[in-house]
Amino acid sequence: MSVDLKDRTVGVIGLGLMGRPMARNLAKAGASLVVHSRSPGPVEELAAEGMSPAASPAEVTARADTVVLMLSDTVAVEAVAAGLMEALRPGHLVIDMGTTAVEPTRRLAEAVRAKGAEWVDAPVSGGTVAAEAGSLTIMAGGSAEAFAKALPLFQVMGQRITHVGDSGAGQVAKMANQVIVALSIGAVAEALALAKAAGVEPAKVRDAIRGGFAESRILDLHGQRMVTGDFTPGGRVVTQIKDLKQAEELAEQSGIQLPALGLSLELFEMLADQGDGGLDHAALYRLFVK
Amino acid sequence: MSVDLKDRTVGVIGLGLMGRPMARNLAKAGASLVVHSRSPGPVEELAAEGMSPAASPAEVTARADTVVLMLSDTVAVEAVAAGLMEALRPGHLVIDMGTTAVEPTRRLAEAVRAKGAEWVDAPVSGGTVAAEAGSLTIMAGGSAEAFAKALPLFQVMGQRITHVGDSGAGQVAKMANQVIVALSIGAVAEALALAKAAGVEPAKVRDAIRGGFAESRILDLHGQRMVTGDFTPGGRVVTQIKDLKQAEELAEQSGIQLPALGLSLELFEMLADQGDGGLDHAALYRLFVK
């Protein structure tokens, strides 16, 4: 896809493992980049590549027409919100591409709109590999107008782009995604542990059942990690716990009980308690295999 | 694949929705078929197509070199075992392609071998569509020699054929498969119910997260059933309960506890208790959506 962002000045706040390649892809498509991060290292790195450094979230916002947030969690988003709101002008577009809780997202979206600016929550899936390749899965929430303004940027950073619904809907989709990932890891872990306990090689079982109804990305990727015992992350157990807590909060706020989600959170917490919080979440397998 | 079964006489016991198309595919590949079923209808149907009817499991066994069992459950397998064992001669091959408990499978395999005959457990996945197309996923347990003798038949009935391990290993793989299917349905059900409760269209969320780490056959097929509310089976809730109980028994016999499996069984039982046992197992979604 050939998207030209020459007329856009895009601010990026948050220059971690995801934010940096995303900023680079925006710059490659012609956008002028204004970048900021809490730690100075990444700012200097991107400045050396020709992007313009900014000293604060307020400065990024003042100098850009579109501000992309790519921060680690809800707390980090709330920490930059004040500076961002202070500099916000009518016509501005704010895009939060991190994974942020739904309630604060909806509040922030409203505050942004009250200033005459626009908001899209657009969390992503696919990790650093997809961020670098510009092939992220992007789940967007916001008005049709705001989504249309954000779309050319999304086309540069991602491949599967869905406008899910109003503000917050992108984050809801991301929560649903995380719930499926966590519970599916649990499904594969218990199934392969059962095979092993019953005296059958888990690797052979995984081979045998692929291509049938059990086929999934999780059986493919995380099943392989269980079979080889290599739990180099990938997605860490502690991150999974954070995501599941956020999903459980959303369930409570939405008035439903999700028993398998609750159990999954307990199991990942047990795993962290035994010292495995830094491993890939596929290490859940360890709870069931002695 | 062009497999010629002209020199084989294959008995098929159990002529339900799976057994009938499997017998037809064996006949098409040149095998002589001897068929038996508890109900006379299917026997007459296949006899009219040129297969040879037999009055009992013992008669099938006496007249065939290979006996394929395609029965509904462990009880049905044990009901034909006596007649089968009585007629069994050295050199005979018995292939159980139904879903049978692991313990009885291992006992039966031993009894068959004690008679100088051979045994392969080879449960399948893919349902009637794959049975008709000859594209079943086949998970086989037995000696290398027995598997080699069964392989030409498998090549006619299936596409993905794996020799998982010794006797019982095929059934263990099938149990693992069922555990993943059941728990993954639970994962998708809770995730889409969360989206709906949070005010976002489940169909849009399903679209948004496909192609990412949440991608699976279950999200594709059963997720679609949840979104449309069409729970025409497919795999029934009562069958799922039977399979999960069998998996839980295997876990107990193997000395491990599988908490998500236990919870999943409870949830499907709640669903059956509220009168939904005859629906597709994707109807689990109904427990969470009011």
Side-chain angles (χ1 to χ4, degrees), chain B residues 40-105:
Chain B
V43 179
E44 287 161 20
E45 187 184 327
L46 293 186
E49 296 175 23
M51 302 185 203
S52 177
S56 70
E59 191 194 329
V60 171
T61 308
R63 292 171 51 197
D65 55 71
T66 302
V67 179
V68 172
L69 307 180
M70 195 60 205
L71 297 157
S72 54
D73 55 22
T74 306
V75 174
V77 170
E78 288 181 328
V80 306
L84 189 145
M85 293 304 297
E86 168 199 317
L88 210 62
R89 296 182 310 271
H92 255 134
L93 173 64
V94 182
I95 311 175
D96 180 10
M97 302 191 73
T99 299
T100 305
V102 174
E103 253 282 285
T105 293

Side-chain angles (χ1 to χ4, degrees), chain B residues 176-212:
Chain B
N177 185 75
Q178 297 306 90
V179 168
I180 291 178
V181 168
L183 274 57
S184 299
I185 287 175
V188 172
E190 293 202 9
L192 295 185
L194 177 60
K196 190 170 161 113
V200 178
E201 218 182 300
K204 282 280 186 186
V205 168
R206 176 172 162 280
D207 281 354
I209 65 182
R210 291 184 69 189

Side-chain angles (χ1 to χ4, degrees), chain B residues 27 58 88 102 145 202 215 226 274 285:
Chain B
L88 210 62
V102 174
E145 296 73 28
E215 178 64 5
M226 294 175 204
Q274 74 181 37
Y285 184 57

Side-chain angles (χ1 to χ4, degrees), chain A residues 5-24:
Chain A
L5 299 178
K6 281 209 173 58
D7 56 340
R8 304 284 285 257
T9 303
V10 181
V12 177
I13 301 175
L15 304 172
L17 290 173
M18 297 293 289
R20 283 200 300 275
M22 289 161 72
R24 285 191 183 107

Side-chain angles (χ1 to χ4, degrees), chain A residues 140-217:
Chain A
S143 71
E145 296 71 29
F147 177 75
K149 269 177 84 173
L151 187 57
L153 280 69
F154 292 157
Q155 287 169 331
V156 163
M157 294 183 281
Q159 232 158 27
R160 187 177 187 97
I161 301 155
T162 310
H163 184 203
V164 183
D166 290 338
S167 300
Q171 296 296 353
V172 169
K174 181 74 192 282
M175 286 295 95
N177 185 75
Q178 297 306 90
V179 168
I180 291 179
V181 168
L183 274 58
S184 299
I185 287 175
V188 172
E190 294 203 10
L192 295 185
L194 177 61
K196 190 171 162 116
V200 179
E201 218 182 298
K204 283 281 187 184
V205 169
R206 176 173 162 278
D207 281 354
I209 66 182
R210 291 185 69 189
F213 282 141
E215 177 65 4
S216 70
R217 288 285 300 277

Side-chain angles (χ1 to χ4, degrees), chain B residues 20-180:
Chain B
R20 282 200 301 276
M22 289 161 72
R24 285 192 185 106
N25 283 328
L26 290 167
K28 235 180 275 172
S32 302
L33 267 287
V34 183
V35 295
H36 174 74
S37 188
R38 259 182 304 187
S39 39
V43 179
E44 287 161 20
E45 187 184 327
L46 293 186
E49 296 175 23
M51 302 185 203
S52 177
S56 70
E59 191 194 329
V60 171
T61 308
R63 292 171 51 197
D65 55 71
T66 302
V67 179
V68 172
L69 307 180
M70 195 60 205
L71 297 157
S72 54
D73 55 22
T74 306
V75 174
V77 170
E78 288 181 328
V80 306
L84 189 145
M85 293 304 297
E86 168 199 317
L88 210 62
R89 296 182 310 271
H92 255 134
L93 173 64
V94 182
I95 311 175
D96 180 10
M97 302 191 73
T99 299
T100 305
V102 174
E103 253 282 285
T105 293
R106 287 177 173 159
R107 267 190 283 117
L108 207 48
E110 209 168 316
V112 165
R113 274 195 300 270
K115 289 245 180 184
E118 288 176 299
W119 168 276
V120 179
D121 46 289
V124 302
S125 167
T128 54
V129 173
E132 281 158 22
S135 64
L136 291 164
T137 295
I138 301 178
M139 313 155 220
S143 70
E145 296 73 28
F147 177 75
K149 268 177 84 174
L151 186 57
L153 280 70
F154 293 158
Q155 287 169 331
V156 162
M157 294 183 280
Q159 230 158 30
R160 187 175 187 99
I161 302 156
T162 310
H163 184 203
V164 183
D166 290 337
S167 300
Q171 296 295 353
V172 169
K174 182 71 191 284
M175 286 296 94
N177 185 75
Q178 297 306 90
V179 168
I180 291 178

